[in-house]
Amino acid sequence: MKRIFLFTLLIHFNKTFCQSLQTPKLQEKFVLVVHGGAGTLLKSQMTPEKEKAYTDALDEALMAGYEILKAGGTALDAVEACVKILEDNPLFNAGKGAVFTNDGRNELDASIMDGKSRKAGSVAGVSRIKNPVTAARAVMEKSRHVMLIGGGAESFARLQGLEMVDPSYFYTESRWKSLQKIKAQDSAALQLDHSDTSGKSSVQVSNIENEKHGTVGAVALDRHGNLAAATSTGGMTNKRFGRVGDSPVIGAGTYADNNTAAISCTGWGEYFIRLVLAKTVCDMMEYGKMSLKKAADIMIKQKLPALGGDGGLIAVDKHGNIAMPFCTEGMYRGYILHTGKKVIKIYKD
Ligand code: ASP
């Protein structure tokens, strides 16, 4: 009897010892950064209530991701959870609250990327998937593809058992009013003049100046040392002809690579696509040996405005350094560190 007891004890000890050898030790450090879009965010046009609503929403997203990362969860889980919360919040131009297309519909784009495997997934032009970021993750994990669009993406999401909604779910009155306002301005502009001296049509100029963006995104470094990034948007108000911006384009609006950084962009999508902005920042770090801050600043504060675009990005590198540059009036943004230190900002520093 005594022998059997000793034998069982030995096996138990052996098992626990081997397990402790196999379980990788988690690093203490983790970082989470979120954004709620960049644009003409002027303090003069904000009310304290509105400001609080935005900061509360960013805070909620940060705290949800923080709990996941603190418990040893993955950067992928954290960025998806953050983006989902912001998609569900009608304040932001993603999921519920997305802007309207020219023909009065909501067409959503989203993407996600895992820095460890450099696997990525995205959906574009979808109108029936409640959380496009979750569909993007399903594309990454449950298909052999990277990007699915429109009805095909919706059929895939349905097959995966994701939550589907009637397109009317995405309606918000304020976004509807913005569309009517922009359309009225455009028809007035068209009657006056077709182009200004910069070569941009008056229609483009009026659209952009009135566009308050509001795309959402998150990037994270987890306790396993892995990076991930996710972005979700309704695109730009009054978009036409199946227009797709940078947010679902891997390398342009979203990128993550454990060798360098995780990046989520927001702004005038066409320019981010032309600059392959997110991946270029990573390349400048990898091949040009630049710091994250320097590479991100060059792309957002020099290259982007030089072409005529605007916007910003959030990023975290493999060491946990953060960058949040933008060349607009403001950008809804915030971060939380493993120490619990949390910062949320809207305007320039
Ligand atoms: N980048 C998004 C797009 O062009 C819009 C935004 O970030 O505000 O679709």
Side-chain angles (χ1 to χ4, degrees):
M1 193 64 188
K2 211 170 160 193
R3 268 228 217 122
I4 295 177
F5 177 71
L6 276 177
F7 186 66
T8 325
L9 206 69
L10 198 69
I11 288 183
H12 179 72
F13 174 76
N14 215 1
K15 222 171 122 190
T16 324
F17 181 70
C18 287
Q19 265 170 3
S20 75
L21 282 184
Q22 276 162 13
T23 320
K25 222 176 134 11
L26 295 181
Q27 64 187 37
E28 204 188 342
K29 194 176 210 169
F30 62 89
V31 177
L32 176 66
V33 194
V34 297
H35 74 77
T40 326
L41 313 168
L42 296 173
K43 208 174 169 96
S44 55
Q45 288 170 7
M46 271 279 189
T47 60
E49 295 75 37
K50 230 167 127 186
E51 208 173 292
K52 185 174 180 314
Y54 278 101
T55 46
D56 283 356
L58 293 177
D59 190 80
E60 187 192 347
L62 281 173
M63 289 319 295
Y66 177 82
E67 291 305 328
I68 292 172
L69 294 171
K70 190 177 161 198
T74 65
L76 264 181
D77 282 346
V79 296
E80 184 194 351
C82 284
V83 169
K84 255 177 106 167
I85 286 174
L86 299 173
E87 281 180 341
D88 291 344
N89 189 323
L91 284 177
F92 300 95
N93 172 21
K96 173 128 186 110
V99 298
F100 282 92
T101 62
N102 179 269
D103 55 2
R105 300 179 326 112
N106 304 103
E107 291 179 352
L108 315 171
D109 306 330
S111 64
I112 193 162
M113 186 158 181
D114 172 24
K116 185 182 177 194
S117 61
R118 265 176 293 156
K119 282 186 179 168
S122 77
V123 293
V126 296
S127 304
R128 293 171 185 276
I129 303 171
K130 181 166 182 262
N131 290 108
V133 71
T134 303
R137 184 161 181 186
V139 173
M140 174 173 84
E141 289 176 342
K142 312 229 169 85
S143 84
R144 285 183 291 131
H145 311 297
V146 170
M147 189 176 204
L148 300 180
I149 63 163
E154 288 166 1
S155 302
F156 172 78
R158 200 171 286 116
L159 278 176
Q160 295 302 323
L162 303 192
E163 191 171 350
M164 307 301 288
V165 289
D166 185 83
S168 62
Y169 163 80
F170 298 105
Y171 175 92
T172 51
E173 204 188 331
S174 67
R175 298 295 190 192
W176 182 254
K177 280 189 179 153
S178 298
L179 175 68
Q180 307 315 319
K181 212 166 132 192
I182 283 183
K183 277 184 154 181
Q185 278 167 355
D186 282 357
S187 62
L190 268 178
Q191 282 163 19
L192 286 172
D193 172 14
H194 280 278
S195 68
D196 70 0
T197 47
S198 71
K200 287 175 199 158
S201 76
S202 316
V203 175
Q204 277 177 317
V205 173
S206 73
N207 270 356
I208 296 313
E209 280 168 1
N210 284 290
E211 175 54 42
K212 298 237 174 12
H213 300 301
T215 294
V216 306
V219 297
L221 167 71
D222 66 26
R223 297 184 62 197
H224 308 267
N226 293 323
L227 296 170
T231 313
S232 183
T233 189
M236 295 179 92
T237 307
N238 205 22
K239 63 184 182 181
R240 301 173 76 181
F241 312 122
R243 180 264 185 191
V244 173
D246 60 312
S247 309
V249 180
I250 298 302
T254 302
Y255 201 73
D257 179 352
N258 273 6
N259 288 318
T260 49
I263 299 180
S264 169
C265 301
T266 174
W268 198 346
E270 280 70 8
Y271 293 90
F272 284 77
I273 295 175
R274 286 165 59 192
L275 288 164
V276 198
L277 205 140
K279 172 74 159 72
T280 301
V281 170
C282 291
D283 287 348
M284 288 160 88
M285 295 172 70
E286 184 163 359
Y287 308 119
K289 304 286 169 228
M290 277 184 206
S291 68
L292 170 65
K293 184 178 169 6
K294 189 165 179 199
D297 275 353
I298 290 175
M299 291 310 292
I300 292 293
K301 295 181 179 168
Q302 295 175 27
K303 300 288 180 193
L304 180 64
L307 279 192
D310 68 3
L313 64 77
I314 53 165
V316 58
D317 72 12
K318 61 178 176 183
H319 307 294
N321 297 308
I322 293 171
M324 306 189 290
F326 54 95
C327 64
T328 46
E329 289 300 328
M331 179 166 83
Y332 298 109
R333 62 202 187 279
Y335 67 82
I336 189 159
L337 308 179
H338 70 278
T339 54
K341 181 186 172 191
K342 184 167 56 181
V343 171
I344 297 176
K345 287 182 178 178
I346 300 178
Y347 316 106
K348 284 179 185 153
D349 286 322

